Amino acid sequence: MASQEHKDLANTIKGTHVKLRKAARVIGGEEAWTMHVKNRNELKEYATAMHKLATEHWDKSDKNVSRIQWVVEVCREYFKNGGHQSAIRKEENLQRVFFNKELEASEVDDGDLVDSNKELEASKVNDSNLHGVDSNKTLEASEVNYGDSRRVDFSRKLEARKVNNGDLQKVDSNNGLESDEVCLLDVGSCYNPFKNFDIFDKLTAIDLVPATNDVLQCDFLNLEIVSDSSLVPTISPCKTLPGGYFNVVVFSLLLEYLPCKKQRWVCCLKAYKLLKQNGLLIIITPDSKHASANSKLIKSWRLALASIGFMLLKCEKQQHLNCLAYRKCFNPKVAAHWLSLQKSGNMVPEDMICIPQDFNDYEDEEEDSERVVLDRDSIVDDFSELPSSDYEI
């Protein structure tokens, strides 16, 4: 049974989320976020509540601290115990299946396969229909034009043809892992929970309002990504980070904080550019429902991330969490081609990273206020409940 303090802290978290989502519907996501970032008192209250929940309530229970342990164990298996080599072999097999044969009429044409020499153009599945970012340019939130969404029809029938040999790529099993070092970026870190794990040789923890001094202040939505790998900040504020530098990017209870789908999309695009080849994007999201309750939502996440260049590596449904690990493909055409084979119909990837609260109308102020009070028995119930999945590549 949750204590009164636990309930009050959880209420602070949900109240902030609801207020931000409501504002986004009235004035738009960008303006709502700008106003939110300027509200220092509210941000500090939120950070304090999150810190106390994590360190004084969650960490007393295995089921709550397991989100951190899950990330550590996935990284240990992948980087230290040969998991990355197995994943690379699987991708090489998919390359041969997808490209070293004559494609059927329903498969993609040259315009649907992204240019593998431009990493962030992996998000384009049909020429420029999806928003990719040239790996030689800095990435700012403004580069993703929210109003320029275009639909991609993956169900059209095409004539059979051979894929040219340029679609096949050979990768060194250590590519993206040039040294034994594992560099981790913890976005929305709060209190730097990974600092005590020796598997991470270099650790950068950032948060909009840090709860501890070893976390850098950073607005990730407005972060600039640069090409100079020596520019890893050590003092706040953190306004730039180097592209292709990190082995792991962690979004633990982060995406549900953002009020709009397109803002979540921007975060995932930035994670892609920050990662080395074969790096991992690990997403931890609340989900207290049964394993299949939100499966359609998690499938939409998988499709959206594939359009960027990620393939699902591992997923696990825990009692109150959904834990997802995505891998940055060494050949983004593999992810793009896998996506083209799905029955996705007309899709706009920028609009596909949804949470259930995106569909709430929030019309009844009194009812919503009561729900904030009554539904606070567990922080995972107060966070948005995101989908679970048993999918594999």
Side-chain angles (χ1 to χ4, degrees):
M1 187 70 177
S3 67
Q4 186 59 46
E5 181 185 51
H6 187 167
K7 294 177 181 179
D8 290 339
L9 294 171
N11 189 50
T12 297
I13 300 299
K14 180 172 180 178
T16 301
H17 289 183
V18 170
K19 179 180 177 182
L20 184 55
R21 292 180 195 128
K22 287 181 176 180
R25 296 184 186 190
V26 174
I27 61 177
E30 291 182 83
E31 183 62 25
W33 185 256
T34 298
M35 292 178 61
H36 177 65
V37 169
K38 293 178 179 178
N39 192 338
R40 307 305 296 177
N41 290 336
E42 183 178 63
L43 291 176
K44 188 63 178 177
E45 182 182 14
Y46 183 96
T48 300
M50 181 62 73
H51 187 211
K52 292 193 73 174
L53 276 169
T55 59
E56 298 180 18
H57 297 277
W58 292 356
D59 289 358
K60 294 180 180 179
S61 169
D62 287 342
K63 70 180 181 181
N64 290 326
V65 75
S66 62
R67 64 193 177 94
I68 306 301
Q69 295 289 350
W70 194 87
V71 172
V72 172
E73 291 309 313
V74 167
C75 290
R76 194 183 309 280
E77 176 62 27
Y78 184 78
F79 293 107
K80 303 300 184 182
N81 296 334
H84 73 283
Q85 294 173 332
S86 175
I88 288 171
R89 286 194 296 270
K90 180 177 288 188
E91 185 176 342
E92 288 176 333
N93 289 337
L94 287 176
Q95 271 199 140
R96 286 189 286 271
V97 170
F98 288 165
F99 302 136
N100 198 23
K101 68 182 184 68
E102 188 168 282
L103 296 181
E104 301 299 329
S106 61
E107 297 177 1
V108 297
D109 64 10
D110 291 329
D112 291 314
L113 295 175
V114 298
D115 182 357
S116 62
N117 294 321
K118 297 180 180 180
E119 286 188 356
L120 278 184
E121 288 187 4
S123 60
K124 301 176 182 178
V125 181
N126 183 6
D127 294 327
S128 61
N129 285 353
L130 302 180
H131 301 292
V133 181
D134 190 330
S135 61
N136 294 320
K137 297 180 180 179
T138 61
L139 174 65
E140 301 180 13
S142 60
E143 290 182 72
V144 182
N145 185 346
Y146 291 170
D148 190 30
S149 298
R150 300 180 179 89
R151 295 189 178 275
V152 183
D153 183 2
F154 292 107
S155 62
R156 68 184 185 275
K157 301 294 183 180
L158 304 174
E159 294 182 359
R161 56 97 183 160
K162 288 182 179 288
V163 180
N164 72 47
N165 292 332
D167 289 324
L168 296 175
Q169 293 185 17
K170 180 67 177 175
V171 64
D172 184 339
S173 64
N174 201 45
N175 199 357
L177 304 166
E178 292 83 356
S179 70
D180 291 333
E181 290 187 333
V182 178
C183 303
L184 180 141
L185 174 65
D186 185 15
V187 185
S189 176
C190 185
Y191 66 104
N192 198 9
F194 297 105
K195 63 185 175 184
N196 295 322
F197 295 94
D198 58 9
I199 185 176
F200 304 116
D201 303 283
K202 295 181 181 179
L203 175 59
T204 303
I206 60 176
D207 200 291
L208 187 60
V209 180
T212 58
N213 292 332
D214 54 356
V215 179
L216 302 180
Q217 192 282 323
C218 177
D219 180 358
F220 192 67
L221 278 175
N222 292 302
L223 178 80
E224 180 183 1
I225 299 177
V226 297
S227 59
D228 189 346
S229 62
S230 67
L231 297 179
V232 181
T234 56
I235 59 174
S236 294
C238 172
K239 295 184 177 181
T240 64
L241 283 173
Y245 179 82
F246 296 97
N247 302 102
V248 190
V249 174
V250 176
F251 291 167
S252 179
L253 308 179
L254 171 77
L255 294 180
E256 54 274 5
Y257 183 8
L258 303 173
C260 295
K261 295 170 284 188
K262 291 172 184 176
Q263 291 171 330
R264 300 172 203 133
W265 167 260
V266 168
C267 284
C268 293
L269 277 175
K270 290 192 174 189
Y272 184 90
K273 190 177 183 186
L274 288 164
L275 283 167
K276 295 179 180 181
Q277 260 191 357
N278 302 307
L280 299 182
L281 169 61
I282 299 180
I283 301 173
I284 307 295
T285 183
D287 185 0
S288 295
K289 295 187 176 181
H290 61 80
S292 61
N294 291 309
S295 60
K296 288 185 178 180
L297 283 180
I298 201 61
K299 183 176 182 180
S300 74
W301 283 39
R302 188 182 183 189
L303 296 173
L305 289 170
S307 75
I308 298 174
F310 286 111
M311 292 291 277
L312 183 64
L313 177 74
K314 180 180 177 65
C315 63
E316 182 178 334
K317 176 67 176 71
Q318 298 187 359
Q319 182 179 3
H320 292 305
L321 297 170
N322 214 331
C323 305
L324 309 167
Y326 285 87
R327 177 179 158 272
K328 179 178 178 177
C329 294
F330 66 78
N331 181 1
K333 293 183 181 182
V334 171
H337 187 70
W338 175 87
L339 178 61
S340 74
L341 301 178
Q342 308 309 304
K343 295 179 179 180
S344 51
N346 293 332
M347 59 171 281
V348 180
E350 300 96 315
D351 293 336
M352 293 179 66
I353 304 182
C354 303
I355 62 176
Q357 284 71 14
D358 291 338
F359 306 101
N360 289 350
D361 55 29
Y362 293 121
E363 291 180 354
D364 191 334
E365 295 284 345
E366 182 177 349
E367 178 185 349
D368 184 70
S369 176
E370 180 181 7
R371 190 163 59 243
V372 169
V373 176
L374 296 179
D375 289 353
R376 59 191 183 177
D377 193 51
S378 168
I379 183 59
V380 293
D381 293 325
D382 293 317
F383 273 111
S384 46
E385 293 183 338
L386 288 181
S388 60
S389 172
D390 296 317
Y391 302 108
E392 292 182 359
I393 293 176

